[in-house]
Amino acid sequence: MGSGRFDSPGENQRVFELKLAGKMSHDSHSTHHVNYLAIFFVLCGCTALSVVFDVLSMSKPVTMVLVLAVACAKALCVMMFFMHLKFEGNWKYVLLAPTTILAIGLPIALFPDIGSSYYTNAAPQVGVWADEVAEYEKQHAAELAAPAVEE
Amino acid sequence: MGIPIPNSKLGMWLFLGTEIMFFTAFIGSYIVLRLGSNGWPTRYEDTHINVLLGGINTFVLIVSSYCVVVAHEAMAQKSFTKARMYLTVTLLLAVLFLGIKGIEYKGKIDHDILPGRIPETSSQAVVKVADQLKQLVLERFSVYTTSGVIENVVPENLTAMAPLVQALPTAARPEDLTDAEFEVYKASAGDDYALFEKWDNLQKHIVANVSLDYPALPVEYMASRAKLEDGAKPPELSLDEVKKYLGDIKKDGPHAALVSARVFDPHPIVYGNIFASSYFIMTGFHAIHVIVGMILFLAVLKQGSALNEKWTDFVENSGLYWHFVDLVWIFLFPMLYII
């Protein structure tokens, strides 16, 4: 049993539904006259381009930007044409925007802790560690010798 | 009101939403780790990453994605035979993808490029040589315990085993062995004991962390240290001398061929373990997704000539899933193989 508002949709709700469905509400099994073969060749060309960027001796950051740009272009081709998102209604934004925001959130959350700090690959050896402890104690001798202040 | 698509398609898109977050967690963490590391293994000798095989696999997945979309189109046009044909090609391409991935994995396993097994420093590389030599010694010693030549001792108890192996050439023949069989064991005992000595010598120098030219046995070690001036330290064990030590064993030492095949030259790879972890977790989960996709296509192909329009939604949703698998690889290929 509803409250009335949703049982008898008003003008606003119909407008919302139409907006959500988008101008081209997608019939699941309609054909869109997409030249899939052309998309396939574009994807192959992009893959070859990635390998060419690898072979060319460019600086690492430039290669990284170029190769990831090509990957994004390929991903867009697959999503728009093979996955038909180009022809889907506006529901695709409702469904995918929160996911994308959450997905981007993790790397952003990790970055200050890991990405911007150098982490050492080597576990400290016992001898080195002992030297470091001795050095620390030497530098902080005064603080270590002072009696602990009780709160 | 509701979203104007079939429930099954909505379900698949919601599932793909969770999949996006799942893979972004791995890919995002990989990017963050890589940016945060003061270096990364990229040389082929360190990673055994084969750009050509990765490129071929990318091509294979693109072709398979094309086949799936054509299969879905054929289903919509009720050309079920054509749809089955394209889905069969997709399935075969998935098998090819996994085969190539298997070749890549084998290359890494053969070279011990596995998480937690890659030495990142000189000292770790030296310890790995000793560990691999010890493994060979254990294998050789276990020959005597499993055959009954030496009884009541486990091979892992090397200090107990070694004197028994050394004494084997002069030992009495066990009753259940023929003379000929016993002769074979006696003949190999000398090399096995010599290999044990090589490992034992290296291990003692690792524990004492002194050069191989310096005595490592407690009594001799203490006597040599006593001769040093106050504050002076004995020379430490270096990677170069261990390389030479191992090289000499491989050249004309005991079981030279076996050691050459099974003990890797010490080769520290900085950040090798985090690389291997990232590589295997990302490509491994991707491979699992490929297998799931194959199961979906098999479910359709199992219908055979009975395939009909009722399966159109299923093929569309399987296709969406497969394109997503392709999409993930589109990002994995440049990040793992090129950058």
Side-chain angles (χ1 to χ4, degrees), chain B residues 216-290:
Chain B
L217 288 170
V219 177
E220 289 91 334
Y221 173 78
M222 293 311 291
S224 296
R225 275 208 80 147
K227 291 176 191 168
L228 294 172
E229 291 177 14
D230 281 350
K233 285 182 180 175
E236 291 184 355
L237 186 64
S238 75
L239 179 64
D240 285 339
E241 61 182 332
V242 174
K243 276 183 184 171
K244 186 176 178 304
Y245 185 76
L246 181 63
D248 290 344
I249 300 174
K250 287 184 175 181
K251 198 174 162 191
D252 51 8
H255 292 297
L258 187 65
V259 174
S260 297
R262 298 278 302 278
V263 182
F264 300 118
D265 289 328
H267 178 198
I269 303 169
V270 180
Y271 298 100
N273 290 298
I274 195 80
F275 155 76
S277 299
S278 310
Y279 174 84
F280 280 107
I281 204 159
M282 288 197 284
T283 58
F285 271 110
H286 181 263
I288 290 170
H289 280 72
V290 171

Side-chain angles (χ1 to χ4, degrees), chain A residues 28-40:
Chain A
S28 291
H29 312 308
S30 64
T31 50
H32 304 287
H33 309 294
V34 176
N35 189 346
Y36 293 120
L37 203 58
I39 304 296
F40 165 72

Side-chain angles (χ1 to χ4, degrees), chain B residues 4 76 97 130 147 151 163 206 247 263 271 288 292 319:
Chain B
F97 178 90
S147 61
E151 290 175 321
I206 289 172
V263 182
Y271 298 100
I288 290 170
V292 172

